[in-house]
Amino acid sequence: MYNTDINILGGIPDYSLIYAALPLLVEGKDDLHESLVKNNEFDFRTERSRIRFFTLLTSAFISDKAEINELSSQLIQHLGNDEKSRALVLFWLFSLNNKLFYELNRDVFLKYFFQGRAELPKSD
């Protein structure tokens, strides 16, 4: 079964919000919900967008395995300002947790990437 988290993720203007929120989420869901949704500490315009972002975080980047969550949280914090490495951690997490993203990357993106092609055909 596919979910549409990929649409929500594509609409996030600044991934630094994800980098800041994920470690908080791993530490405690209630704390992040309080700061994100109720207190609007991430400065989203509407409560609906705050709830949507919170839902994305929990379904797209949080695994059923606590060890993966802890490792990813530590990596994101440890990597500091290394944007490319942090983005790779998000790519890895999203691939683990989202079947649609995984299959698109496996069957389309990585296929052309390993062929050395810079662009994807429109048909794919």
Side-chain angles (χ1 to χ4, degrees), residues 56-122:
L56 167 75
L57 290 172
T58 56
S59 71
F61 299 112
I62 297 298
S63 171
D64 294 336
K65 299 184 186 290
E67 299 86 7
I68 291 175
N69 297 332
E70 188 61 37
L71 175 62
S72 61
S73 174
Q74 289 175 5
L75 281 171
I76 286 173
Q77 291 175 3
H78 176 75
L79 293 169
N81 293 327
D82 186 349
E83 173 65 28
K84 288 182 181 181
S85 296
R86 285 175 141 191
L88 187 58
V89 172
L90 290 186
F91 180 88
W92 172 68
L93 286 171
F94 199 42
S95 292
L96 287 173
N97 294 317
N98 188 286
K99 183 179 177 182
L100 176 60
F101 189 71
Y102 170 79
E103 290 180 5
L104 284 172
N105 283 306
R106 182 194 64 202
D107 299 338
V108 181
F109 173 69
L110 292 175
K111 175 179 140 184
Y112 289 102
F113 178 79
F114 288 120
Q115 291 175 357
R117 298 170 78 178
E119 295 180 8
L120 298 176
K122 229 180 197 181

